[in-house]
Amino acid sequence: MDAEDDGGGAVRRARAGAGRGRAAPGGKFTVPRPPRGLVVRSRCDEALATTVAAHRLTVVSAPAGFGKTTLLAQWVARAPGPVAWVSLDPLDDEPGRLVRVLGDALARIAPGARPEDDPGPDRGLATVARRLDALVTALEALPPETVVVLDDVHLLSARTSREVLGPVLRYAGPRFVLAGRYDAALPVNRMRMAGEVGELRERALAFTEEEVADVVRAVGVPGDAAAVRALWEITRGWPVAVRLALAADVLDGSGEPLAQLRDRDVPITGYLVEEVVGSLPDDLADFVLRASVADQVDPELAEALVPGGARLLDECVGRGLFLTDVGDAGDGPVYRWHALVAAHARAVLTRRDPLAARVAHRVVAAHLGPRDPAAAIRHALDGHAPDLAARVLGERWPDLVVRGDVGQVRGLRAALPPRYRSDPDVLLALAAAHAYEADGARDDDGGPAWVGELVRTFLGPGRPSLEESVRRGRALLDGGVPDSGVPDDAVRALALYLVGRAELQQYGPDPAALGHLAAGGALAAERGWVALELGCRAEEAFAASLRGDVGAALDGARAVLATAALHEWQGTSIVASAHLACGVASYWRDELCAAAGHLRAAIEAAGRNRREVAVHAAGVLAIVCLAQGDAPGLARAREITDASWPDGSAPEHLTAFRDFLTAVQLGAEDRPREALAIVDESSVAFADPLALGWQSDQLLRIGDIEGAERALRAAEHAAAGAADVLGATPAQVRVANLAAAAALHADEDAGAAHAALEAALAAAEPHGLVRPLRDRAAALHPLLSAHLEWGSAHEPLVTRLLVAEHEAPTPRASAWDLTPRERDVLACLRSSLTSEEIAGSLFLSINTVKTHMRAIYRKLGVDGRRAAVRTAVQRGLL
């Protein structure tokens, strides 16, 4: 779909009709012709048709260049009833004139419907009111399938909208479609609450990637999938930008995207100046150019850029000027500019007023310093303020280290004038950069060697083991910072964070970790090191998950993730432990899909810099995949744990955990004897209380009641001892052991079984520890059903367990044996394809497909296609 003129034509029509008593004839009430090279978008056409049919009022609102007029013109051509079209212009922003214009539009579709003009000379408010009453009467007489379209409704002031459109919409009559760059100031909240208002906005009107491909083909420009994706990503589907980019040949003749497609390669500056900035009041236009220097803007920054900036920012949001709400920074909302619009607006400001552009960069640098030091330094240098850049670099280097941005320090320092390069704080940052990049402390730079030692110990390549890192870090904290002539707060805060997080990742984490993290977080908050503070808070959330405080872990981790998202740090190592905390807590609460998502995010964020976190997350993810019956996910998780220490240097507890995981997998595959054969009583993993409870379950499955009782007694004894290698807390171990005891006594001593089950429920409910019970829900199912009659203080939890086992039963052993071809057929079952169509798509016979379907149903324990898809989704097989 092409982008419409959307404003410029309306202005020209207004000038042509100036001085006349009536609106200019012809085009004002005529549906515009579709543009050349039109690409029909059935998605938008259907959405508009459905919305108009279901609502009295439809609002089509998006910035300039989103194809609003073209979309409406296409719909009118197929509208089921009569349509009155009005292309508004600035001269219509007067109540009396707008009433006459609406009357003229009605007369074109229903002769005689136009209200008669008052013959009297009075043209005051009373006369407008009488004409408006006549217009409402005429509208009420129209057939209900009639639609009135008002294009460019943003040209009407709030006064005209309220005085004319407000009464018109208040009473029953034809349907209305109001299209504009932003919403008219109309009192329609009652209609919204009544469900009478439908809306199509920027997100619905933007091109999808597939639609960009359609446009590329329609204009005859060579372009493969990679080229189309590059164009879609840089324009974000803004239709006019796509058209202008193609007109400028941003795709070369071979169809490959430019090696580095940049914002400035899309020639929208002229359109931006004429149709966006040029249509704004002078003060708002100036604000848009200045504020676009920053990628994101909030009320505080807006006020710093321009007096009254918060009000102007609010007006920009109201006008829909290419701003997206990205959250709340605590002091107010934060908005992100459309990257393409911001880049060209910055270029316009730099050309028009270079001094204003420099000042804006400096203001943004000062604002971003505490939040995003790397961006702040770039803005300071762009604003020709090297002193500000040096100050930010010296004050904020700990945040750069924690975020993994320390590699930028060298380039940023090189951009500073020579007289700033010997600043002590800059030298401190440079020493950290050299250590992080493993090229040693550079004596010729004058950087403090002890700073490099700290970074190298915990972050640099080839760093020592966790135990050695913790030893060295504690020595630094205990000995204090050597006398170097620079403040030691930065190094101390960073050391507290790095030592605390390493202590948490050790087997049997030292309680001192919490003290180190709390002190580091407080110092970071005092000095305004946001990333460092977030890192400490993320580790504290992880510590809460380790001690079984599920609620505190989730609350703390979610707060960290929300703040990180606000600063666009979602993929950095800062949030790895927060995702891990959410994953562990969600697992114990039996929210397996959420747990798997967070654990995968933790692995991705940890990367190579935080190998211990990635391995920990992969281990928990493997347990989650076992619970879901997700064989591919289990294999990928195990690849991570096996590949993390390829040289055989894995810690003893990790090697033991791998063996335990193998045994658990065999148990899940209904091979309990093979699982028990792996048990090594001398291994720290198999001496763990959770592992002993698991052994009791397996021994019970093969009929060894005495062995199951011995393992359970050993588990209860071990629970009172040292911390376990599997990371369970005493509360989690107690719930698991009591659940195992209930299963053990279910057949031989109903009273003891019910008592153990009630004790397990009582221990689980305060902490939300559902998973230990769900692991045994299949074995406990008859006991759980009878427990409601036996009498329980925890009936909601019992009901939840029974319902969960019905809706998402424990994966059967045969589910692990789905063949690759059965998985292909299973993937097709969630589509609308018939069995014959599935056979054709997979190049199989219909009988073969039906055989695979029967095998899938048997292995998943279901009796039909819909149940198979639901169960497969719940277990992560789809």
Side-chain angles (χ1 to χ4, degrees):
M1 178 185 294
D2 205 350
E4 82 276 32
D5 177 69
D6 207 3
V11 174
R12 289 192 293 273
R13 288 192 297 272
R15 291 171 179 168
R20 303 177 185 175
R22 296 253 179 208
K28 188 174 187 66
F29 304 110
T30 303
V31 180
R33 294 180 181 177
R36 295 173 58 187
L38 174 68
V39 174
V40 177
R41 294 197 288 166
S42 57
R43 173 182 63 87
C44 294
D45 292 343
E46 292 171 5
L48 178 59
T50 302
T51 304
V52 173
H55 302 89
R56 278 187 57 210
L57 171 63
T58 297
V59 176
V60 182
S61 179
F66 271 87
K68 300 181 292 295
T69 299
T70 301
L71 174 62
L72 290 171
Q74 287 180 277
W75 170 79
V76 169
R78 296 185 296 274
V83 177
W85 181 285
V86 180
S87 295
L88 297 169
D89 59 51
L91 296 181
D92 296 327
D93 187 22
E94 189 273 319
R97 177 183 172 88
L98 182 58
V99 171
R100 291 195 299 273
V101 166
L102 290 174
D104 289 346
L106 296 181
R108 288 176 171 263
I109 63 169
R114 178 172 56 195
E116 294 297 328
D117 285 342
D118 193 319
D122 181 14
R123 295 186 179 275
L125 181 60
T127 301
V128 173
R130 286 195 294 271
R131 290 175 179 166
L132 186 57
D133 288 341
L135 176 63
V136 171
T137 301
L139 288 168
E140 289 179 334
L142 292 173
E145 65 271 16
T146 304
V147 178
V148 178
V149 177
L150 302 183
D151 196 19
D152 288 336
V153 73
H154 61 274
L155 297 174
L156 301 180
S157 65
R159 170 177 169 265
T160 302
S161 296
R162 286 194 302 267
E163 291 184 6
V164 178
L165 297 184
V168 164
L169 294 172
R170 188 175 300 128
Y171 304 104
R175 301 180 188 276
F176 276 80
V177 178
L178 306 183
R181 297 182 180 181
Y182 50 91
D183 293 354
L186 290 171
V188 294
N189 282 328
R190 286 189 178 182
M191 293 179 66
R192 275 198 173 92
M193 289 187 291
E196 296 180 328
V197 180
E199 300 174 323
L200 268 74
R201 299 194 176 274
E202 177 181 339
R203 181 175 297 180
L205 297 178
F207 280 150
T208 64
E209 187 174 345
E210 293 76 15
E211 289 165 345
V212 172
D214 291 340
V215 175
V216 170
R217 285 191 293 269
V219 299
V221 175
D224 63 2
V228 168
R229 182 162 189 82
L231 181 57
W232 176 75
E233 286 181 344
I234 200 166
T235 61
R236 304 312 299 174
W238 185 17
V240 74
V242 172
R243 290 284 187 179
L244 291 171
L246 293 174
D249 293 327
V250 298
L251 306 182
D252 67 22
S254 66
E256 294 294 330
L258 295 177
Q260 294 292 331
L261 186 60
R262 299 156 297 183
D263 295 319
R264 61 176 177 268
D265 295 323
V266 182
I268 66 160
T269 302
Y271 185 88
L272 181 71
V273 171
E274 293 177 9
E275 296 295 335
V276 180
V277 178
S279 66
L280 300 175
D282 290 344
D283 60 341
L284 191 59
D286 179 67
F287 171 77
V288 168
L289 295 179
R290 292 174 185 263
S292 63
V293 166
D295 295 329
Q296 296 183 0
V297 60
D298 55 54
E300 182 183 347
L301 175 57
E303 283 290 336
L305 286 166
V306 176
R311 175 187 59 80
L312 294 170
L313 175 61
D314 187 59
E315 188 172 349
C316 286
V317 173
R319 286 174 173 262
L321 283 176
F322 300 96
L323 286 166
T324 302
D325 188 345
V326 294
D328 195 308
D331 300 327
V334 179
Y335 302 94
R336 180 185 294 115
W337 291 105
H338 188 296
L340 195 59
V341 172
H344 286 267
R346 285 193 289 269
V348 171
L349 178 65
T350 302
R351 288 198 304 268
R352 287 184 178 180
D353 193 343
L355 180 58
R358 291 181 185 179
V359 171
H361 277 295
R362 294 172 187 175
V363 171
V364 173
H367 181 75
L368 290 180
R371 309 177 186 184
D372 192 343
I377 293 168
R378 288 193 297 270
H379 279 289
L381 294 175
D382 288 341
H384 295 201
D387 54 337
L388 177 58
R391 186 170 73 249
V392 172
L393 177 60
E395 291 176 353
R396 304 297 170 187
W397 70 266
D399 267 2
L400 293 171
V401 171
V402 173
R403 286 174 48 192
D405 291 337
V406 74
Q408 301 181 32
V409 172
R410 238 185 273 189
L412 293 170
R413 181 190 182 240
L416 293 174
R419 66 191 183 95
Y420 293 105
R421 295 179 190 172
S422 58
D423 182 278
D425 288 339
V426 174
L427 292 176
L428 200 66
L430 191 64
H434 288 313
Y436 191 88
E437 296 174 345
D439 58 358
R442 297 269 294 274
D443 295 334
D444 57 329
D445 285 321
W450 46 267
V451 176
E453 178 63 22
L454 174 65
V455 175
R456 190 162 41 250
T457 296
F458 288 97
L459 300 174
R463 55 187 178 273
S465 65
L466 273 176
E467 293 76 7
E468 178 62 18
S469 296
V470 169
R471 187 191 66 77
R472 294 184 189 181
R474 286 174 173 172
L476 175 62
L477 288 174
D478 293 340
V481 177
D483 183 14
S484 60
V486 296
D488 64 349
D489 278 358
V491 180
R492 182 167 183 80
L494 184 60
L496 288 166
Y497 164 64
L498 294 175
V499 171
R501 84 178 195 183
E503 289 169 334
L504 284 181
Q505 291 297 336
Q506 282 184 294
Y507 169 54
D510 195 305
L514 289 177
H516 290 150
L517 292 170
L523 186 54
E526 180 184 342
R527 292 292 301 273
W529 296 316
V530 180
L532 184 54
E533 182 187 3
L534 274 186
C536 291
R537 301 298 174 238
E539 300 304 324
E540 288 177 325
F542 174 56
S545 73
L546 290 180
R547 64 175 182 268
D549 194 343
V550 173
L554 286 174
D555 290 344
R558 286 168 178 167
V560 168
L561 293 174
T563 305
L566 189 64
H567 293 284
E568 298 186 319
W569 298 340
Q570 296 96 319
T572 63
S573 60
I574 303 172
V575 300
S577 289
H579 279 300
L580 178 54
C582 282
V584 171
S586 296
Y587 167 75
W588 287 111
R589 291 176 60 164
D590 196 39
E591 298 168 354
L592 298 184
C593 290
H598 279 295
L599 292 168
R600 292 188 177 101
I603 293 169
E604 183 176 352
R608 295 182 178 180
N609 291 331
R610 301 207 60 190
R611 181 173 57 177
E612 296 82 7
V613 173
V615 172
H616 193 141
V620 181
L621 180 59
I623 297 293
V624 171
C625 291
L626 279 170
Q628 292 179 310
D630 181 4
L634 173 63
R636 289 191 294 269
R638 297 212 61 174
E639 284 177 5
I640 295 172
T641 59
D642 295 340
S644 295
W645 277 276
D647 56 357
S649 61
E652 178 187 359
H653 68 281
L654 178 60
T655 302
F657 175 76
R658 290 176 186 165
D659 294 339
F660 173 72
L661 191 58
T662 300
V664 172
Q665 182 174 345
L666 290 170
E669 295 172 358
D670 201 20
R671 298 154 68 183
R673 296 185 185 277
E674 295 177 53
L676 290 168
I678 297 178
V679 172
D680 180 0
E681 295 182 358
S682 64
S683 167
V684 291
F686 289 102
D688 182 278
L690 277 187
L692 291 167
W694 169 84
Q695 290 179 51
S696 176
D697 293 335
Q698 303 305 308
L699 290 166
L700 182 61
R701 291 172 65 184
I702 64 174
D704 186 353
I705 305 298
E706 293 183 0
E709 290 177 342
R710 285 196 303 273
L712 189 57
R713 286 194 297 271
E716 293 169 351
H717 178 74
D724 58 286
V725 71
L726 302 183
T729 65
Q732 293 160 352
V733 171
R734 176 171 170 75
V735 174
N737 287 345
L738 287 169
L744 179 62
H745 298 302
D747 293 332
E748 60 184 33
D749 188 343
H754 281 296
L757 178 58
E758 183 68 9
L761 294 169
E765 195 163 52
H767 303 285
L769 303 177
V770 181
R771 193 62 220 176
L773 293 161
R774 278 283 284 128
D775 281 335
R776 297 167 175 84
L780 292 173
H781 192 276
L783 186 66
L784 285 166
S785 299
H787 198 65
L788 293 174
E789 297 181 8
W790 187 79
S792 173
H794 309 283
E795 289 188 4
L797 181 53
V798 175
T799 304
R800 174 183 173 182
L801 291 168
L802 289 170
V803 171
E805 184 59 24
H806 173 73
E807 293 184 347
T810 303
R812 296 190 177 189
S814 54
W816 297 97
D817 299 327
L818 285 177
T819 66
R821 181 58 78 182
E822 287 168 354
R823 289 183 178 275
D824 293 339
V825 173
L826 177 62
C828 294
L829 293 182
R830 72 186 308 174
S831 70
S832 59
L833 297 176
T834 64
S835 299
E836 291 79 4
E837 290 169 335
I838 292 174
S841 65
L842 296 178
F843 302 100
L844 300 173
S845 71
I846 181 62
N847 289 333
T848 301
V849 168
K850 288 182 177 179
T851 299
H852 287 319
M853 291 170 66
R854 287 193 294 271
I856 291 169
Y857 299 160
R858 174 176 51 80
K859 292 179 178 182
L860 296 182
V862 298
D863 56 6
R865 177 171 179 165
R866 185 173 299 178
V869 171
R870 182 177 66 249
T871 300
V873 169
Q874 290 167 343
R875 296 178 184 172
L877 298 175
L878 287 177

